[in-house]
Amino acid sequence: MDRGPEGPILVLGQASRGRRAMTNLEQAAKEFLREVAARHGAASNSWRARDGDMRALLGWAASQGLSDPESLNRSALRDWIASLHAAGHARVSMARMLSTVRSFLRFREYRGGAIDRTALRLTAGRLPRSLPSVLTAVQAARLLDAG
């Protein structure tokens, strides 16, 4: 990660010194993260989380041979979520990562890029909602006796 005038910036691939050229997807991710840094601050937890999420997506995309933002369609993102699940990521983490990618896609659309709008409706599955456990009568009595 380099530091630019607006704070840390994502540097994934560079053509200089024998490194490979940055893909269109990496360039788009870099622009998105600059926007996030401008809105939330480059040292914010929001920026760090989105940077990590985008790095995870870009690593997977590179392994699949996806190099253009337009290749992030619903099918590709479903495959990505499946790979995250297979790797043991928590459902909450997958939901956050997918939220970052949806924000990225909306950013691309706002900037005039073509996106698969059906990918915006993709979810990581319903998060379990459970009620807190209730104290038993014995536990409640111990609590009252202790106070």
Side-chain angles (χ1 to χ4, degrees), residues 54-118:
M54 291 305 294
R55 285 178 185 272
L57 174 68
L58 293 171
W60 175 84
S63 75
Q64 303 299 306
L66 305 175
S67 61
D68 289 312
E70 292 79 16
S71 63
L72 296 179
N73 57 33
R74 184 178 178 89
S75 176
L77 292 177
R78 284 176 56 97
D79 291 345
W80 178 55
I81 292 297
S83 75
L84 294 174
H85 180 72
H89 286 272
R91 193 167 295 233
V92 177
S93 296
M94 292 187 297
R96 188 204 65 238
M97 292 172 156
L98 196 51
S99 174
T100 295
V101 173
R102 284 192 304 264
S103 294
F104 169 67
L105 292 175
R106 283 191 290 273
F107 171 79
R108 291 277 306 148
E109 185 178 40
Y110 178 76
R111 290 282 185 96
I115 66 165
D116 177 3
R117 292 202 47 80
T118 63

